[in-house]
Amino acid sequence: MTAARDAFTVISPGRVNLIGEHTDYNDGFVLPMAIDRGLRIAVRPRAGRMAVVSSDRGGPAAEIDLDGPLAAGRTDWGRYVAGVIAGYRRLGWEIPGFEAVITADLPAGGGLSSSAALEVGMATVLETLCGRELPTAEKALLCQRAEHEFAGVPCGIMDQFAVAFGRAGHALLLDCRSREIRPVPLADEVAILVIDSGVKHALADGSYAARRRDCEAAARRLGKVALRDVAPSEWPAVEALLPEPERRRARHVVAENARVLAFAAAVEAGDWMRAGRLMAESHASLRDDFEVSCRELDLICEAAGKVAGVFGCRMTGGGFGGCAVALIDASRAADIAADVQAQCGEALGAEPTVFATGAAGGARLVAG
Ligand code: GLA
């Protein structure tokens, strides 16, 4: 790879997680996919030592001095850019000045990983400008660290890995301990619908970190490295050792890990009814035990779950708002999407945005 001297464009996708929520930071399993919506970042080199990044969402451009100190503490979206630049600078990379314009067709704060799309997209931009690449897993981990240090969210690895490793037509079964990825092909018989509750989530408000602390405390109390190490068969014997709410949090994680593996097997076998049931169970567990759903997401999943042709529906992502994901019969996708929108609209009192999406490739250079 040689350093870019001309203009170029990077595409960075959002993601939906089909199943495996709040399991990544417990060393567990997740099954996300990169989607065909995301960010388009148009870049051109610029004389001098500044990065100037603007967005079609408005607001002032983020201006970052490439030689200056990059402290955490910014509150604008430029903090994600600064965090990624800081990561490459820490590795000793000399980043040339550039200008970037971002356009997006992903709801911001909608639970589809707009922040990971920005981080991994910017990492791809910096690698293109410098004419060298990190191994993809290292790039994703650098972006996760940017999120921890510059956005204050102690997230797991799912989002950055999904955005970096996305593969067209496949979901990714990711073992968050070994970081091994098994691509799971999604048959043409099924389609994925995203239903946006319109409730903006803010993972930095402390609830996400609190859930993570509950899980870590539960693992410690059980003498385990992580909740991943508690087998479902072991659960009845150990649950009484945990106080509430740790018990409920751990019950979710233990069962959810098993559901991810069962779901991947059901998808590989084309058993859509079983896959759908597992999604419904996942949602109930996130609502009742992990307590990260909200009224709107519950109403959406209940209403969508009753529509003919919907195999299953659940909240996706960190929760507290954002989107739900449904697995549907692809042969009638347009009709089903319309029914889901109408039924959810009736339940909520206002029709939510609904769109069908497909599994797409990860962040990549598309032109230039
Ligand atoms: C957010 C985090 C992820 C993951 C999900 C919940 O999206 O960024 O690491 O923990 O929440 O599954």
Side-chain angles (χ1 to χ4, degrees):
M1 200 179 182
T2 49
R5 263 174 251 110
D6 300 323
F8 62 91
T9 300
V10 160
I11 277 189
S12 191
R15 67 97 188 90
V16 287
N17 186 22
L18 297 181
I19 197 160
E21 223 63 84
H22 291 274
T23 44
D24 61 351
Y25 54 81
N26 289 296
D27 278 2
F29 300 98
V30 292
L31 192 74
M33 62 186 221
I35 60 173
D36 52 14
R37 290 187 178 224
L39 311 180
R40 172 174 280 269
I41 312 177
V43 184
R44 52 180 186 160
R46 180 182 198 274
R49 302 295 307 137
M50 295 295 287
V52 180
V53 186
S54 56
S55 147
D56 68 341
R57 299 246 156 96
E63 300 201 355
I64 295 161
D65 179 348
L66 292 163
D67 295 326
L70 290 173
R74 295 176 76 117
T75 52
D76 64 336
W77 55 266
R79 66 191 188 271
Y80 298 103
V81 180
V84 175
I85 290 175
Y88 283 93
R89 273 192 8 189
R90 203 181 291 124
L91 297 174
W93 291 32
E94 166 108 7
I95 298 152
F98 70 96
E99 246 170 62
V101 179
I102 302 172
T103 48
D105 60 359
L106 201 60
L112 300 179
S113 273
S114 48
S115 59
L118 179 53
E119 291 151 5
V120 181
M122 282 315 301
T124 309
V125 166
L126 300 184
E127 293 191 349
T128 307
L129 285 164
C130 293
R132 41 202 290 222
E133 282 172 16
L134 290 178
T136 310
E138 276 176 41
K139 175 186 182 183
L141 291 171
L142 182 153
C143 291
Q144 181 204 24
R145 182 166 171 186
E147 177 104 20
H148 285 194
E149 292 178 355
F150 282 71
V153 180
C155 63
I157 63 170
M158 171 170 74
D159 302 345
Q160 291 80 11
F161 270 64
V163 172
F165 283 97
R167 177 152 163 201
H170 294 74
L172 307 173
L173 176 59
L174 169 62
D175 177 334
C176 299
R177 172 169 280 164
S178 68
R179 298 183 189 141
E180 199 182 309
I181 293 176
R182 189 170 103 216
V184 176
L186 293 169
D188 293 343
E189 293 157 52
V190 281
I192 304 297
L193 272 193
V194 173
I195 307 139
D196 186 355
S197 72
V199 178
K200 294 289 172 213
H201 74 156
L203 294 181
D205 75 354
S207 311
Y208 182 92
R211 294 299 181 282
R212 186 169 180 155
R213 275 196 306 274
D214 288 345
C215 291
E216 286 165 354
R220 261 197 312 278
R221 230 184 273 278
L222 298 177
K224 305 286 188 183
V225 172
L227 288 178
R228 149 76 173 272
D229 300 309
V230 182
S233 57
E234 218 180 323
W235 179 251
V238 300
E239 65 170 319
L241 302 173
L242 297 175
E244 291 294 4
E246 284 169 34
R247 187 185 308 172
R248 270 174 297 150
R249 308 292 187 248
R251 182 164 56 201
H252 164 73
V253 174
V254 171
E256 184 80 351
N257 272 326
R259 275 190 291 268
V260 177
L261 300 178
F263 183 92
V267 168
E268 281 166 342
D271 188 345
W272 310 122
M273 301 303 277
R274 175 152 171 71
R277 273 198 306 275
L278 289 161
M279 289 174 87
E281 285 172 20
S282 169
H283 185 80
S285 174
L286 288 157
R287 181 190 62 210
D288 302 336
D289 279 350
F290 218 71
E291 296 178 286
V292 289
S293 186
C294 64
R295 188 178 152 270
E296 290 81 355
L297 285 169
D298 293 343
L299 289 172
I300 285 171
C301 292
E302 201 190 322
K306 289 186 190 141
V307 171
V310 173
F311 299 115
C313 184
R314 57 180 288 281
M315 56 156 275
T316 186
F320 311 105
C323 293
V325 58
L327 181 74
I328 67 167
D329 175 352
S331 67
R332 298 193 305 109
D335 289 347
I336 296 169
D339 286 353
V340 164
Q341 189 169 36
Q343 293 304 316
C344 291
E346 203 155 295
L348 293 168
E351 286 199 350
T353 304
V354 176
F355 61 89
T357 191
R364 61 203 178 272
L365 182 66
V366 288

